[in-house]
Amino acid sequence: MATSNGSRKKGSSTAERVLGYLESARNLTGSAAALGGLLLTFAGFAGAYWPVVVGGLYGAGALLAPPRRPPAPAFEEPSSRLDELRADLATLRAYLKEVDLPSAAAERLEALAGLLDGLLAPGWVSEALAEDPEGVHVVARAVRRDVPESVDAYLRTRWWTRLAPGGRAPEEELERQVALLHGEAQTLVDGLREAEELRQRSHTRYLEDRGDTGGVRAETGRAETGRPPEP
């Protein structure tokens, strides 16, 4: 029974993928180009090689078609609340899973998303972040604007480079942008860690100073009374 259900789900998924391709811009553009090849065949230009012409035109049209570009997430009015930022980060990560990205850029984006997720995860790190308005702004800007705009710009630019090759590859531009964003987030993490370490050292010095003061008072009490001070 479970096998039957699994088979039906697998078959349904395959049918959805096939239907999705049939409705895609690649197939529609390739089909239009192939139709043009058939018209050339009927006009007598293709001759005996018409299957090659039609197939070649379909493939060229499919390659030149604008790639599927899911709309970038549109976030609500900026908010500094960390719970809303967590929800927006989850939306961003779902968007990144939908888009077609080169492996190197996808890995860098996943590393950046993991770093942002660590900053926002409930715990002492997010508590330290909440006390740093500038740090919250850095995270919010990365999640709600910088990453979505970088990815969307790459998806748009990639298609134009197919029509007019040359210049810097859009993949390299995207990787450079993500590297800069990762560096900014890492700087924020390092700053929060250093602040916590400084706070810990300050507390240690406070305890040491308090201990030294208690020792001085004890010695003073013994000198004045000739006996240890009352506890």
Side-chain angles (χ1 to χ4, degrees):
M1 190 70 176
T3 303
S4 177
N5 290 337
S7 299
R8 282 199 297 270
K9 290 180 180 179
K10 185 176 181 179
S12 175
S13 177
T14 302
E16 289 176 358
R17 286 197 296 269
V18 172
L19 182 60
Y21 178 77
L22 292 176
E23 296 174 344
S24 68
R26 290 180 182 274
N27 182 58
L28 295 177
T29 306
S31 298
L35 180 60
L38 287 176
L39 293 177
L40 291 175
T41 299
F42 293 145
F45 291 102
Y49 298 100
W50 70 268
V52 177
V53 173
V54 172
L57 287 174
Y58 176 87
L63 288 175
L64 293 176
R68 178 176 175 269
R69 184 167 64 92
F75 296 109
E76 300 295 332
E77 290 297 320
S79 170
S80 59
R81 293 181 56 183
L82 296 191
D83 56 343
E84 294 182 8
L85 266 176
R86 293 185 191 105
D88 290 345
L89 178 58
T91 300
L92 175 63
R93 299 189 84 162
Y95 164 70
L96 294 177
K97 290 181 180 179
E98 292 182 9
V99 296
D100 182 20
L101 297 172
S103 58
E107 290 175 3
R108 286 181 177 269
L109 280 167
E110 181 59 30
L112 173 59
L115 196 57
L116 295 173
D117 190 48
L119 282 166
L120 293 172
W124 72 266
V125 176
S126 61
E127 292 172 2
L129 175 65
E131 297 176 1
D132 181 6
E134 181 60 30
V136 173
H137 176 70
V138 169
V139 175
R141 184 177 58 196
V143 171
R144 293 170 174 154
R145 189 183 71 187
D146 293 338
V147 172
E149 287 185 0
S150 294
V151 173
D152 190 62
Y154 161 75
L155 295 175
R156 286 184 280 109
T157 307
R158 180 182 60 173
W159 181 60
W160 288 108
T161 56
R162 294 181 178 183
L163 301 180
R168 177 177 290 180
E171 302 86 44
E172 296 177 4
E173 202 71 49
L174 176 62
E175 290 177 25
R176 185 165 181 267
Q177 291 170 4
V178 177
L180 291 171
L181 291 172
H182 189 279
E184 189 176 37
Q186 187 63 57
T187 299
L188 174 59
V189 171
D190 294 341
L192 291 174
R193 185 182 64 246
E194 289 174 3
E196 287 301 315
E197 291 175 351
L198 179 60
R199 184 179 304 178
Q200 185 183 33
R201 289 196 296 269
S202 297
H203 187 61
T204 300
R205 285 196 298 270
Y206 161 73
L207 294 176
E208 290 174 345
D209 293 342
R210 192 175 69 179
D212 291 342
T213 302
V216 170
R217 288 175 179 171
E219 291 296 332
T220 303
R222 280 194 292 268
E224 291 178 350
T225 64
R227 67 176 186 274
E230 294 294 331

